[in-house]
Amino acid sequence: MMYSIIIPFKELNSNLLNNLKSISFLEYTKFEVILVPDKNILLTEEYNYPIKTVISGKVMPGIKRDLGSKASTGDILAFIDDDAFPVSNWLNIASENFKEKKHFAIGGPGIDDSNNTQNIVQKLSDIFFKSKFFGFPERYMSFGVKKYFDDWPSVNLLIMKDAYLKVGGFDTNHWPGEDTILCSKLKKIGISILYVPELVVYHVRRTNLKKLFFQLFSYGYKRAIFFFEYPNNSRKIIFLIPTIFTIYLCSLIFLNNIFYIIPLFIYLVLSFFNYANVNKYNKHSTILILLFPFFCAYCHISYGIGYFNAFINKIIGHKKI
């Protein structure tokens, strides 16, 4: 099987160069790399694999990936971000799973790449996203067993080219959330994404609260839009919970009797439990333990506000921001 690794990005950057270096260590050698920048770039280093460059102009990542797929010669399209770095046996593992003809799309986790240099926001983010009750551990660590999902991020997503072309690719200006749209279209023709825990890439986390807020706000905003536009993989109660929690916190200003505070107490207990469960093999930090419940609330509120904003705009007929 021939793979086309497609990497959309804006301009040449250090993460991309690290990405290309990690690709040079792949054990499986039957692949090409397709770079899709806004404008022409100059790579000063030579690599031991073929590289194509497709100039896209200033367009959204979904369109970039479509342009990359048109230039591809592979049987399988391997989507990865410029700040993600595959492990050496990435394509070997992919090939083992694609040999089973029933698998048309597979995905794996994007594990934090900054374990030795994490700032406090990255440490808290890593624990939050890996937590079982608050996060999505399959997306952020090699967790559990193989299973099927109807939505998977394009930071580590591999799809048979025939299936990709059958649904028309991404074909969207939505961002973030373009991967949700592709997965929704795949689901309509009976294709789910097989989660493979060993199919690992390392991925850089957001480094400050402002960037994290806009990331989570955008995720929530788009998911609310997709509630109406792509209901087959976006109408789940789990996507609504952060908004319910945000409204609940606001209501505490007016309703603060002892019984009404019980859900908040349960939330705090779950926060500490999630921290302990994710971090059970590491040395505990008192500061991180104390900050973690507030950080969880910050993340849920950020997402919840975005979701609520878009949901209301959709209901009253406003155009999306």
Side-chain angles (χ1 to χ4, degrees):
M1 289 178 284
M2 174 71 177
Y3 290 84
S4 295
I5 302 174
I6 299 174
I7 310 173
F9 60 100
K10 293 181 179 180
E11 57 188 9
L12 194 64
N13 60 79
S14 59
N15 281 328
L16 174 69
L17 296 177
N18 288 331
N19 181 319
L20 296 177
K21 183 177 180 180
S22 68
I23 289 174
S24 68
F25 293 112
L26 289 176
E27 298 166 2
Y28 191 100
T29 57
K30 198 173 181 181
F31 68 88
E32 63 182 354
V33 171
I34 301 176
L35 303 178
V36 194
D38 286 0
K39 55 186 178 180
N40 195 32
I41 61 170
L42 177 62
L43 295 175
T44 57
E45 187 174 339
E46 292 187 2
Y47 297 92
N48 59 350
Y49 50 83
I51 297 179
K52 296 178 184 178
T53 301
V54 178
I55 309 303
S56 66
K58 293 184 178 181
V59 296
M60 291 298 183
I63 301 300
K64 284 179 175 283
R65 295 188 181 99
D66 286 341
L67 291 171
S69 69
K70 289 178 182 178
S72 68
T73 60
D75 308 296
I76 298 170
L77 305 176
F79 297 111
I80 189 173
D81 289 352
D82 62 330
D83 59 353
F85 321 116
V87 295
S88 61
N89 62 347
W90 185 51
L91 295 183
N92 301 71
I93 293 169
S95 296
E96 291 173 6
N97 287 277
F98 277 120
K99 283 178 183 177
E100 300 181 39
K101 299 299 183 183
K102 62 180 180 179
H103 302 321
F104 293 94
I106 63 174
I111 298 175
D112 182 38
D113 186 51
S114 53
N115 286 329
N116 297 322
T117 58
Q118 287 178 323
N119 63 31
I120 194 166
V121 172
Q122 288 173 308
K123 289 178 181 177
L124 290 169
S125 294
D126 198 39
I127 298 168
F128 175 80
F129 288 120
K130 288 178 179 177
S131 64
K132 187 174 181 180
F133 290 101
F134 291 162
F136 200 142
E138 289 89 353
R139 290 189 179 185
Y140 301 100
M141 61 181 177
S142 187
F143 175 81
V145 298
K146 294 180 184 179
K147 63 182 77 171
Y148 286 99
F149 288 93
D150 58 12
D151 195 352
W152 200 260
S154 49
V155 65
N156 187 11
L157 179 62
L158 294 81
I159 305 171
M160 287 282 190
K161 188 175 181 179
D162 289 347
Y164 181 86
L165 294 176
K166 187 173 182 179
V167 300
F170 287 88
D171 191 27
T172 179
N173 277 314
H174 275 297
W175 182 84
E178 74 282 5
D179 31 32
T180 292
I181 294 172
L182 176 65
C183 293
S184 173
K185 293 193 286 185
L186 288 171
K187 186 177 181 181
K188 285 180 180 179
I189 63 170
I191 296 176
S192 294
I193 295 84
L194 177 70
Y195 165 69
V196 181
E198 301 82 15
L199 189 76
V200 170
V201 302
Y202 290 96
H203 193 212
V204 178
R205 293 278 186 269
R206 294 295 187 272
T207 56
N208 62 60
L209 289 175
K210 182 178 179 181
K211 289 181 179 179
L212 183 63
F213 172 82
F214 284 111
Q215 179 191 37
L216 293 172
F217 178 93
S218 298
Y219 287 162
Y221 192 95
K222 289 296 183 179
R223 187 63 74 174
I225 291 174
F226 297 159
F227 176 92
F228 297 95
E229 297 181 3
Y230 301 96
N232 67 341
N233 65 350
S234 291
R235 286 190 181 178
K236 298 178 181 178
I237 188 64
I238 191 172
F239 299 135
L240 186 59
I241 289 175
T243 301
I244 295 172
F245 176 71
T246 303
I247 294 172
Y248 163 74
L249 288 180
C250 293
S251 71
L252 286 173
I253 299 172
F254 310 101
L255 301 168
N256 55 3
N257 65 67
I258 187 66
F259 296 106
Y260 199 70
I261 295 176
I262 289 176
L264 182 60
F265 175 76
I266 294 173
Y267 184 87
L268 292 173
V269 171
L270 283 175
S271 298
F272 289 123
F273 174 80
N274 274 277
Y275 180 94
N277 187 53
V278 172
N279 226 34
K280 57 187 173 184
Y281 299 117
N282 299 321
K283 184 178 179 180
H284 291 293
S285 164
T286 303
I287 294 176
L288 290 181
I289 294 173
L290 294 176
L291 286 177
F292 188 64
F294 298 98
F295 183 83
C296 292
Y298 178 85
C299 291
H300 287 136
I301 292 169
S302 300
Y303 185 101
I305 291 173
Y307 193 101
F308 182 79
N309 189 319
F311 200 91
I312 294 301
N313 281 337
K314 270 287 187 179
I315 289 177
I316 63 178
H318 285 184
K319 294 181 179 179
K320 62 185 179 183
I321 296 175

